[in-house]
Amino acid sequence: MPESAIVTYPEGDRPDRRFDRIIGKSAALESVLEQVKQVASTDSTVLIEGETGTGKELVAHAIHNASQRVGRAFIKLNCAAIPLDLLESELFGHEKGAFTGAIAQKIGRFEMADKGTLFLDEVGDIPSALQPKLLRVLQEQEFERLGSGRTHKVDVRLVAATNRNLVKMVARGQFRSDLYYRLNVFPILLPALRERREDIPALVTHFVKLFSRRMGKQVDSIPPETMAAFQSYSWPGNIRELQNLVERAVILSRDCVLQNPLHKNQTELMIPSLHRTRTYYSSKAFEDSHRALILETLEQAGWIVGGPRGAAGKLGLKRTTLLGKMRRLGISRPIPQEGTDVFGVARADAQI
């Protein structure tokens, strides 16, 4: 589900159509859009950094739409969502018979994006063995499909995104320094939603209209206390979490009034200081509150991560994103429930 959509503005207050899916007028967001305008007309590689759910794919689309490649393909790939043994084939393609199960030739994402833009999300999850090949295609604009010795030349503009600290990964030997420098030609840091709180009312209003229309429900009123709760919450899942909670609120709405979907414990988990220096790497206070919220949500969900009743959906996160956060925060269930793994992900034979 997209993190935003087209919104209607009053006559005379229409934003640049290249960015009309990006909602908000905060100084933090305006700074990002100014950087997008500066880099879009070039073919330079862009690295979009920020927490999960901040709208990295939306910004990548904006870069493409503002570039001279706008009439060409915009191809995307989430590197964390593809099994490691298939990622090389997804990127570069393969020939028939290149490996067991390769029953036909496959065109990779770089080839699909020729003359256009390729968006690689979660680029920090690319395995070490594949990083030299990615570096080569970025430097030389050429590659070979798996099982083929023929070199293919392409003209691709790369936009990459990550919610991980690549500098620390380079220091730990988990990410090649030369690849990092090649990706980091023009970095754009997206602010967390808690750092652009003045945009929350516009986002809430937009999503209420969007989901009301989809569900055929009428929601005419957003109580001040409900909007205040939205504005005071820390939003660890950012815009994606806000979107999911507004959808829940519309479902729960009665008498055309939007309900507050936030639990009391959630609204209390606020950032200690809203005026500290902007950074998307979590402070210890935020990390502790984030960990507490994840733990409580996992317990409420019976330590099930994915699925319709899983913790990921309750937090407004993707299952893979929540699993990554659990690993980074050291969250695990020592004795898994019957039918789930150690992270509470339902096995294929489990009853959900």
Side-chain angles (χ1 to χ4, degrees):
M1 183 177 293
E3 292 175 352
S4 186
I6 295 175
V7 60
T8 301
Y9 290 82
E11 192 67 30
D13 194 27
R14 183 74 180 178
D16 189 323
R17 291 186 62 86
R18 295 168 296 181
F19 311 130
D20 63 1
R21 296 180 62 212
I22 300 176
I23 298 172
K25 296 183 179 179
S26 64
L29 184 60
E30 289 297 328
S31 175
V32 167
L33 296 184
E34 183 59 33
Q35 293 176 72
V36 169
K37 292 175 184 177
Q38 290 174 335
V39 76
S41 61
T42 74
D43 279 332
S44 297
T45 300
V46 179
L47 179 61
I48 305 173
E49 302 172 286
E51 295 177 7
T52 182
T54 49
K56 293 187 283 293
E57 183 178 334
L58 210 56
V59 171
H61 267 290
I63 292 171
H64 176 73
N65 291 340
S67 74
Q68 295 179 346
R69 297 172 182 257
V70 63
R72 303 287 185 169
F74 178 88
I75 304 297
K76 59 185 180 180
L77 177 67
N78 186 326
C79 300
I82 306 297
L84 299 184
D85 56 342
L86 297 179
L87 185 55
E88 183 175 2
S89 173
E90 286 293 328
L91 286 170
F92 307 117
H94 64 251
E95 298 292 343
K96 180 179 179 180
F99 52 84
T100 303
I103 59 175
Q105 183 188 76
K106 177 182 176 65
I107 303 299
R109 304 300 172 98
F110 271 98
E111 208 166 342
M112 292 179 189
D114 190 27
K115 303 295 190 299
T117 302
L118 176 62
F119 173 55
L120 293 184
D121 199 5
E122 307 291 359
V123 72
D125 287 78
I126 291 181
S128 300
L130 197 52
Q131 290 175 21
K133 295 186 178 182
L134 177 59
L135 178 63
R136 180 198 171 196
V137 73
L138 292 180
Q139 291 179 332
E140 308 296 337
Q141 292 279 292
E142 63 182 30
F143 66 93
E144 289 85 34
R145 294 184 194 139
L146 281 172
S148 171
R150 178 188 171 192
T151 298
H152 295 266
K153 299 287 290 187
V154 288
D155 174 16
V156 174
R157 200 268 179 82
L158 182 74
V159 178
T162 183
N163 62 5
R164 305 180 69 176
N165 189 330
L166 295 185
V167 173
K168 290 184 177 179
M169 292 182 67
V170 169
R172 293 193 295 261
Q174 298 172 334
F175 202 84
R176 289 178 63 107
S177 60
D178 48 3
L179 177 56
Y180 169 70
Y181 296 130
R182 187 64 187 80
L183 291 171
N184 198 43
V185 174
F186 193 91
I188 296 179
L189 176 60
L190 299 193
L193 185 55
R194 62 184 175 276
E195 294 165 352
R196 43 177 289 217
R197 291 177 184 272
E198 58 267 50
D199 291 334
I200 290 177
L203 286 162
V204 171
T205 301
H206 164 64
F207 287 131
V208 167
K209 291 179 180 178
L210 175 68
F211 291 117
S212 297
R213 185 169 60 250
R214 286 183 182 178
M215 298 176 193
K217 297 189 70 171
Q218 185 173 351
V219 179
D220 299 325
S221 173
I222 303 176
E225 58 272 20
T226 297
M227 188 64 79
F230 278 121
Q231 290 188 278
S232 64
Y233 179 49
S234 62
W235 297 111
N238 292 292
I239 300 174
R240 185 180 297 120
E241 182 183 12
L242 172 66
Q243 176 179 338
N244 291 343
L245 282 180
V246 171
E247 182 177 6
R248 182 190 307 173
V250 171
I251 294 172
L252 297 172
S253 64
R254 299 189 301 271
D255 301 323
C256 302
V257 177
L258 189 74
Q259 299 297 302
N260 181 3
L262 290 163
H263 299 299
K264 184 175 182 295
N265 66 294
Q266 289 178 301
T267 57
E268 290 174 348
L269 287 177
M270 296 173 60
I271 302 303
S273 172
L274 302 180
H275 305 290
R276 68 184 188 279
T277 302
R278 183 164 67 90
T279 172
Y280 79 90
Y281 302 120
S282 300
S283 66
K284 185 177 186 304
F286 176 63
E287 186 174 280
D288 289 345
S289 66
H290 199 171
R291 189 176 191 277
L293 177 59
I294 289 175
L295 278 170
E296 181 165 349
T297 307
L298 283 165
E299 290 171 358
Q300 292 174 352
W303 284 84
I304 300 298
V305 173
R309 294 184 296 176
K314 296 178 184 295
L315 289 168
L317 302 174
K318 295 179 182 178
R319 182 182 66 83
T320 53
T321 299
L322 179 54
L323 287 173
K325 287 180 178 291
M326 290 168 62
R327 292 187 179 96
R328 285 195 292 275
L329 294 171
I331 298 174
S332 63
R333 182 181 175 88
I335 305 176
Q337 291 181 317
E338 184 178 356
T340 65
D341 66 14
V342 70
F343 286 106
V345 181
R347 297 197 304 265
D349 59 347
Q351 295 292 321
I352 299 179

